Amino acid sequence: MLDVFVDGDACPVKGEVERVADRHGLIVYIVTNGGVRPSANPRIRHVIVTAGADAADDWIAEHIQPFDIAITADITARIALPENNRLR
């Protein structure tokens, strides 16, 4: 089963991601430097990283696997993702 990784500091669609995760039985990792209120949804995993412009992107790039989904508005995160995780 695939997982969804969300840059929580730069994602305006967290609510929509949560609804899709429920519908499809997915686990979602919301990665943030602490500025996001945690969800009570058991499918949502909150990951707090150290402060820094690219800390969330770096964590996602280190943990994502083939076929997982990354959601971010940050173009540098797209570049950091492994080649097999990029949309073409």
Side-chain angles (χ1 to χ4, degrees):
M1 178 72 63
L2 66 87
D3 292 326
V4 180
F5 293 81
V6 177
D7 179 348
D9 298 320
C11 181
V13 294
K14 287 184 284 298
E16 289 86 348
V17 171
E18 188 170 328
R19 286 192 294 277
V20 170
D22 281 339
R23 187 176 314 133
H24 295 283
L26 304 175
I27 299 297
V28 177
Y29 294 89
I30 304 285
V31 186
T32 177
N33 64 10
V36 175
R37 191 173 89 189
S39 169
N41 187 324
R43 295 198 173 282
I44 308 299
R45 309 286 195 265
H46 292 275
V47 178
I48 298 176
V49 296
T50 60
D54 296 324
D57 301 329
D58 293 343
W59 191 95
I60 291 169
E62 290 171 10
H63 291 86
I64 198 164
Q65 298 295 312
F67 303 107
D68 287 344
I69 298 170
I71 301 173
T72 180
D74 189 346
I75 191 64
T76 59
R78 183 184 182 282
I79 294 167
L81 290 174
E83 182 69 31
N84 58 351
N85 287 86
R86 297 182 199 170
L87 291 177
R88 301 193 198 297

